[in-house]
Amino acid sequence: MNTIDATALGGLREALRGSVITPRDPGYDAARSIYNAMIDRRPAGFARCEDLADVQTVISFARDTGVELAVLGGGHSGPGLCLVDDGLVLDLSPMRWVRVDPDTDTVQVGGGSLLGDLDHATHAVGRAVPSGIMSTTGVGGLTLGGGHGHLTRRYGLTVDSLLSADVVLADGSYVTASRESHPELFWALRGGGGNFGVVTSFTFRLHPAGTVGAAVTVWPVDRTPEVLRWYREFLPAAPDVLTGFFALLAVPPGPPFPEPIHGQKMCGVVWCYTGDLSEEHLAQVFAVVNEPAPPAFHFAAPVPYPALQTMFDELLRKGLQWYWRGDFFETISDTAIDVHHKYGENLPTGLSTMHLYPVDGAAHETDADDTAWAYRDALWSGVVAGIDPDPAHADAIRRWCVDYWTDLHPHSMGGSYVNFIGHGESPDRVRATYRGHYDRLAAVKRAYDPDNLFHANQNIPPAPD
């Protein structure tokens, strides 16, 4: 790829309503600082786009100069695919806006918005879009990967609520993709990642979710086998109004957890309930947590949905070292349970964790071929994450994550949620993620980005002519 000279960047700066940040500008280090501090890349420049015209200008500049291009939204990409050394970063972060239409129960969201922006605006009308579990995540990256979280069992994946997307394509043109307009592109955007263009806005269907029943239950880590055997049977049979992701963790040193268990290794479930929130009914719903073993701690209460979405923001703040890998699972086998128990007993740091997110319920009601998401038959999307603030521990958390994933992967379905593919994994992992949809995605790529301009992602190269 070509490099950018100062004269060319100066011309780009003059052409944009937004700003251009280079290594000589005071805000450069802040601009290249993303969620995962393990990523240390030095782009030649950041083009901070204020609007659609800015996005078109930057794409045309990258195409005409041959410079390598990356797209930055929320900056939560685990492998840091939103940054590229010596290339140009198209930064959507200024495009943070949300417009709620209560009459149609829809919401339009700017391409640089975060989940917290979306949740704040939609909560005002008692609604939500099913999305992730942290308010600092970018709407764009999460949606283009498929999107799962607390509301998946009730309302489906994020892409199941997507009605349309405004997209700037590799040739600089602008289209709106929906079921009626550019339907193949719309199909590919719903799970195919950032391969097909730059989405400047998303329009979603809204769902009732003003206040939810939030709960956290933890058991001593030596109870992991009993709890997981119970969980694998209980949750898929539970009504869709109840969900809960399983986790291995060290108890954080703060509320709501009592001080005597701070720092202890535990297994647990973080719950979300969207049914009757009366105190008596919530107590009945969560009485089941005593079935596998007596919990070390249990807390349940009605909370605003945005409060549940921000529960982990401070704990897992920007600037930590991260290394993660994921897989889909159709069952949690006894052998897999042994693997979880082994690595849960040996968490390498206080923030390292493993999560199993339910992706059944309403997510199974969408036909397998209706979106690019290829694992409609999965019950869980799992992620192993080594996390720590100290760069000196980077090798330890990476080794624990890779060893854990290596032992667990034979018990998986073979592919991963695309947003959980870690840095350094082979292109075969991308193909496994899309199963039989891969060739169709490659054909869409050929139609909309034949020169693979958008390749700083979990890349799907264009199909050959």
Side-chain angles (χ1 to χ4, degrees):
M1 300 296 284
N2 296 335
T3 57
I4 318 175
D5 61 42
T7 302
L9 280 176
L12 179 62
R13 180 180 279 115
E14 291 178 3
L16 297 182
R17 290 188 68 188
S19 58
V20 173
I21 301 172
T22 71
R24 286 174 285 191
D25 294 315
Y28 177 75
D29 282 335
R32 71 185 190 92
S33 173
I34 61 172
Y35 187 70
N36 184 1
M38 195 178 284
I39 306 301
D40 183 20
R41 299 200 176 114
R42 302 188 65 86
F46 290 81
R48 304 188 79 242
C49 296
E50 296 279 352
D51 54 24
L52 166 66
D54 277 0
V55 174
Q56 290 178 307
T57 299
V58 174
I59 289 175
S60 296
F61 177 90
R63 187 184 63 250
D64 293 344
T65 61
V67 68
E68 191 161 4
L69 181 69
V71 180
L72 172 66
H76 263 242
S77 169
L81 298 173
C82 48
L83 300 180
V84 58
D85 280 325
D86 302 321
L88 181 64
V89 176
L90 190 161
D91 184 355
L92 292 168
S93 61
M95 299 176 67
R96 287 178 64 177
W97 52 265
V98 182
R99 299 191 186 108
V100 177
D101 186 343
D103 293 332
T104 60
D105 243 6
T106 62
V107 60
Q108 189 177 21
V109 189
S113 301
L114 306 182
L115 296 188
D117 303 324
L118 174 60
D119 294 335
H120 174 78
T122 58
H123 184 66
V125 294
R127 297 292 190 267
V129 175
S131 58
I133 66 162
M134 294 188 65
S135 74
T136 56
T137 304
V139 172
L142 178 121
T143 301
L144 295 174
H148 57 59
H150 295 298
L151 299 179
T152 297
R153 297 194 79 236
R154 181 70 189 274
Y155 298 126
L157 304 172
T158 305
V159 292
D160 298 337
S161 293
L162 184 65
L163 299 175
S164 66
D166 295 331
V167 192
V168 181
L169 302 174
D171 64 2
S173 64
Y174 163 76
V175 301
T176 296
S178 67
R179 290 185 184 276
E180 294 75 33
S181 173
H182 297 271
E184 278 296 282
L185 175 61
F186 185 59
W187 174 84
L189 291 174
R190 288 177 291 159
N195 279 281
F196 309 100
V198 177
V199 179
T200 59
S201 74
F202 301 85
T203 300
F204 297 102
R205 180 186 306 109
L206 292 172
H207 304 273
T211 301
V212 299
V216 178
T217 313
V218 295
W219 297 264
V221 72
D222 62 7
R223 294 289 197 173
T224 297
E226 297 100 307
V227 174
L228 264 178
R229 284 194 291 266
W230 167 77
Y231 174 80
R232 71 182 178 187
E233 303 299 329
F234 168 75
L235 195 65
D240 293 352
V241 292
L242 178 66
T243 192
F245 70 83
F246 179 87
L248 294 167
L249 72 157
V251 175
F257 301 104
E259 188 172 350
I261 65 170
H262 287 179
Q264 291 189 22
K265 294 175 182 177
M266 298 273 179
C267 64
V269 180
V270 178
W271 305 94
C272 177
Y273 181 68
T274 54
D276 180 353
L277 299 180
S278 66
E279 183 177 351
E280 180 180 355
H281 188 74
L282 273 183
Q284 292 175 350
V285 168
F286 290 115
V288 295
V289 302
N290 294 290
E291 292 181 2
F297 173 78
H298 173 74
F299 168 86
V303 302
Y305 178 67
L308 177 60
Q309 289 287 84
T310 59
M311 181 182 293
F312 303 107
D313 286 1
E314 181 58 30
L315 180 69
L316 299 176
R317 64 192 183 279
K318 180 180 177 180
L320 300 171
Q321 304 282 309
W322 280 77
Y323 194 89
W324 65 32
R325 290 192 178 185
D327 267 320
F328 286 116
F329 300 89
E330 60 187 342
T331 186
I332 304 172
S333 69
D334 288 344
T335 308
I337 288 174
D338 291 339
V339 175
H340 289 305
H341 187 198
K342 171 185 173 182
Y343 286 93
E345 293 269 14
N346 293 283
L347 293 171
T349 62
L351 293 175
S352 295
T353 188
M354 188 284 305
H355 292 175
L356 288 170
Y357 297 102
V359 287
D360 59 332
H364 282 189
E365 295 173 7
T366 296
D367 187 81
D369 293 328
D370 196 47
T371 66
W373 177 282
Y375 279 84
R376 293 288 176 175
D377 50 342
L379 292 184
W380 288 279
S381 171
V383 62
V384 178
I387 313 168
D388 195 71
D390 189 347
H393 296 156
D395 287 342
I397 62 175
R398 183 187 295 109
R399 184 169 56 253
W400 174 82
C401 174
V402 172
D403 289 349
Y404 191 162
W405 179 87
T406 300
D407 285 354
L408 192 61
H409 181 65
H411 311 288
S412 75
M413 300 174 76
S416 167
Y417 177 37
V418 69
N419 290 342
F420 288 161
I421 298 178
H423 42 308
E425 295 195 64
S426 74
D428 291 342
R429 289 284 285 152
V430 178
R431 182 177 285 274
T433 286
Y434 293 113
R435 295 167 129 180
H437 292 169
Y438 186 88
D439 289 344
R440 183 177 173 186
L441 285 164
V444 177
K445 179 74 169 180
R446 180 181 61 203
Y448 287 92
D449 184 15
D451 297 321
N452 206 9
L453 177 69
F454 303 114
H455 64 269
N457 45 47
Q458 302 293 0
N459 194 233
I460 301 169
D465 292 332

